[in-house]
Amino acid sequence: GEGGGQGMTVLGDLPWAELSSTVRCVLSSHALVGVVNALHWLLSAVGVPQPHPNAEQVALCASAAVVTLVFYYLVRGKHNQRRRNNLARELNKARQRVNELEERLVRVEADESATHAGPPVRIWMDGVFDMMHYGHVNAFRQGRALGTYLVVGVNSDETITQCKGAPIQSDGERVATVKACKFVDEVVTGVPYIMNDEYLRMVIEKYQIDYVVHGDDPCIVDGKDVYESARKMGKYRTIPRTEGVSTTDLVGRMLLMTKAHHSASFESQGEAGELASGGR
């Protein structure tokens, strides 16, 4: 009984008195007074008749808005998050489906090319092919499927460094990996990173190229399409880009894993040092 009475006194007197004092301080604060004055000026400027809301009414509206936003976040936030996650999964499935259909189209075109009687259909592809990965191999596979003979040009170290920075692998290393791919029939070295119109026409004539093949992403340098001359000659074809993999992405993954590995190693060394010190 006694404990309950004391609890009511503390709860009924002190906190409410402190709360009332805090509310009075907020209502009389310079910040709120400034907001109310600015609101009165705005309402008068647009012709809203008086009486205008006072400090208590403004504070009440602001508090109601905050409570409403918090309530909405707590009640609807998780639902919206689940909805976003479901939409993201559906989008990924749709992308996979598009990739499957594009690859099926490539196979159909390859079958049509294989069935016709006549000379070999020679395909040209070029690129850096640094740290060659399955995205490159898939591009070679799709390019090869558009003809019967695939010629791949490997960009030189010098021109890559001039245009985008030095590659991780040297000319010899990148050429060796491209040659090792079973879809590649011939490799051309020392190809410039940016092929001008004259060079591309030389490639088409020298290597008897029927089609120049590139990914479906645009290849614009200095506002000009690198493969414009091939397009004009009717010799340009595109293949779907392999999503989710690139040399830049792989380097980023390795750096993150290396950082995590060394952090874990340092933590282990620190724990071992602490144990050793404790043992002493």
Side-chain angles (χ1 to χ4, degrees):
E2 259 178 58
Q6 290 175 357
M8 289 182 64
T9 300
V10 172
L11 183 64
D13 295 336
L14 273 179
W16 287 109
E18 292 177 2
L19 179 62
S20 177
S21 175
T22 302
V23 170
R24 283 197 299 272
C25 288
V26 171
L27 293 178
S28 61
S29 66
H30 293 296
L32 185 59
V33 170
V35 170
V36 172
N37 290 338
L39 180 61
H40 287 177
W41 177 86
L42 179 62
L43 293 175
S44 300
V46 298
V48 176
Q50 295 188 358
H52 296 154
N54 57 29
E56 292 181 2
Q57 292 169 328
V58 171
L60 182 62
C61 290
S63 300
V66 170
V67 170
T68 301
L69 290 173
V70 171
F71 178 77
Y72 178 83
Y73 175 77
L74 294 175
V75 174
R76 300 291 298 175
K78 293 183 178 179
H79 172 75
N80 290 338
Q81 183 63 42
R82 286 195 297 269
R83 185 180 178 188
R84 285 194 292 270
N85 291 339
N86 291 335
L87 289 174
R89 283 194 292 269
E90 291 178 8
L91 180 60
N92 287 332
K93 290 180 180 178
R95 285 173 176 168
Q96 292 174 1
R97 180 59 177 164
V98 168
N99 288 336
E100 291 173 1
L101 292 175
E102 287 176 337
E103 290 189 4
R104 188 179 299 177
L105 178 60
V106 169
R107 288 195 294 270
V108 169
E109 292 176 347
D111 291 339
E112 291 176 352
S113 299
T115 53
H116 85 282
V121 177
R122 299 172 66 89
I123 305 296
W124 168 270
M125 299 179 71
D126 64 275
V128 178
F129 309 118
D130 198 14
M131 295 180 63
M132 195 163 128
H133 49 71
Y134 77 86
H136 296 138
V137 176
N138 191 38
F140 292 154
R141 179 187 64 81
Q142 295 179 82
R144 181 66 164 72
L146 294 176
T148 58
Y149 192 88
L150 177 60
V151 182
V152 176
V154 179
N155 300 144
S156 66
D157 283 349
E158 182 182 358
T159 59
I160 298 169
T161 303
Q162 291 173 354
C163 296
K164 57 181 292 187
I168 296 172
Q169 293 181 306
S170 66
D171 272 340
E173 291 169 331
R174 291 182 291 109
V175 169
T177 52
V178 173
K179 282 183 176 180
C181 180
K182 69 176 184 179
F183 302 111
V184 177
D185 298 294
E186 183 178 347
V187 175
V188 178
T189 61
V191 176
Y193 182 75
I194 300 176
M195 296 187 298
N196 57 28
D197 186 75
E198 181 182 357
Y199 186 89
L200 187 55
R201 288 180 179 274
M202 181 277 294
V203 165
I204 292 174
E205 293 176 6
K206 180 178 179 179
Y207 298 99
Q208 300 177 348
I209 300 301
D210 295 288
Y211 298 111
V212 176
V213 175
H214 189 267
D216 52 10
D217 50 320
C219 190
I220 307 297
V221 176
D222 296 332
K224 183 179 179 181
D225 185 354
V226 174
Y227 298 101
E228 182 179 359
S229 59
R231 291 180 189 274
K232 290 179 178 178
M233 297 169 68
K235 291 180 173 289
Y236 186 73
R237 298 290 185 271
T238 61
I239 54 175
R241 180 181 176 85
T242 304
E243 298 292 338
V245 62
S246 68
T247 300
T248 303
D249 176 61
L250 291 176
V251 172
R253 287 192 226 171
M254 287 190 291
L255 290 174
L256 290 174
M257 291 181 69
T258 302
K259 181 179 179 182
H261 169 74
H262 285 300
S263 297
S265 298
F266 290 143
E267 289 175 4
S268 300
Q269 291 173 8
E271 292 174 1
E274 290 176 5
L275 290 173
S277 300
R280 292 187 191 126

